[in-house]
Structure formats: structure tokens, C-alpha cells
């Protein structure tokens, strides 16, 4: 069978143009002061006082809270920046990232 018997592929797979998004997740702990968590959320994630308070209290009562969703790079940078702010002030405050389904 000659190669020329093969039909050329005429259909191309359509790939989605949107990048996969990542969640930034705030974890509760027993030591970081509530007010400090609120300060970090306002500074790093540009939240209002009310939004930051709501997210902090959700993590406080349910142990975790999704803070925001970004592209991978931005999510990782912000999670690191926010976690570092805690460490620099002697607190075990922790932010992680996880891909959206
Ligand atoms: N649980 C902390 C306290 O009682 C406050 C806190 C809330 C810490 C949310 C972390 O993600 C957090 N001081």
C-alpha cells in the first residue's frame, strides 16, 4: 500500500484557549490573630474589610476557605507572598494553591 493511499487528516482538534485556573486556599490555624489574617487578605488579595472578615471567619469555622482564583503563576505568587507575611511576623498562617476541576 502506497503512502498516497492514506487520506490526509482534514479535521483539526479544537483546543480551548483558556488557561487552567488555580484556587488560592486559606488554611485555619490556632495561633495567627484574626486581625492579622484580615490585614494579609486586604493587602495581598485587595479585599475590602468586609470581604476579608468573611473569608477569615469561613476559614476559622470550616478550617479552609477559597480566597480567589487566578492563573497558576499569579495564584502561586500570591499564596507565597501571603504565607511569607505570616512567617515574617512569627505566625504559621498558610495559603496553598490547587487547580480548579
Ligand atoms: N483561628 C485563628 C484564631 O482563632 C484565626 C485564624 C482564622 C487563623 C483563619 C487562620 O486562616 C485563618 N486566632
Amino acid at each position: 500500500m502506497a503512502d498516497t493511499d492514506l487520506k490526509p487528516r482534514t479535521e483539526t482538534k479544537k483546543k480551548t484557549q483558556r488557561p487552567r485556573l488555580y484556587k488560592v486556599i486559606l488554611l485555619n490555624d490556632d495561633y495567627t490573630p484574626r486581625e492579622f489574617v484580615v490585614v494579609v487578605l486586604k493587602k495581598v488579595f485587595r479585599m475590602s474589610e468586609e470581604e476579608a472578615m468573611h473569608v477569615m471567619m469561613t476559614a476559622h469555622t470550616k478550617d479552609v476557605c477559597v480566597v480567589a482564583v487566578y492563573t497558576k503563576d499569579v495564584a502561586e505568587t500570591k499564596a507565597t507572598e501571603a504565607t511569607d507575611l505570616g512567617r515574617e511576623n512569627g505566625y504559621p498562617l498558610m495559603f496553598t494553591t490547587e487547580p480548579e476541576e
Side-chain angles (χ1 to χ4, degrees):
M1 181 174 70
D3 286 349
T4 48
D5 291 338
L6 296 172
K7 279 190 194 155
R9 224 178 251 185
T10 53
E11 281 177 29
T12 51
K13 266 193 192 158
K14 288 192 190 78
K15 281 194 182 154
T16 173
Q17 296 300 304
R18 280 168 296 164
R20 190 166 201 197
L21 295 178
Y22 281 67
K23 297 180 275 192
V24 175
I25 297 162
L26 169 62
L27 308 182
N28 188 32
D29 68 72
D30 291 339
Y31 305 102
T32 309
R34 294 183 189 194
E35 311 76 58
F36 184 82
V37 181
V38 169
V39 166
V40 170
L41 289 170
K42 285 164 72 176
K43 182 160 196 271
V44 178
F45 300 96
R46 306 239 158 262
M47 288 185 178
S48 67
E49 178 79 23
E50 292 71 27
E51 286 174 308
M53 188 73 78
H54 184 72
V55 167
M56 180 278 293
M57 282 309 294
T58 302
H60 180 70
T61 54
K62 298 188 192 264
D63 262 6
V64 293
C65 183
V66 175
V67 177
V69 169
Y70 302 104
T71 54
K72 189 169 196 280
D73 272 12
V74 175
E76 284 172 355
T77 301
K78 284 185 181 280
T80 301
E81 192 188 336
T83 300
D84 285 352
L85 274 175
R87 190 184 304 124
E88 285 160 15
N89 288 273
Y91 300 128
L93 184 63
M94 178 67 86
F95 291 80
T96 62
T97 63
E98 136 183 342
E100 273 199 327
E101 287 78 49

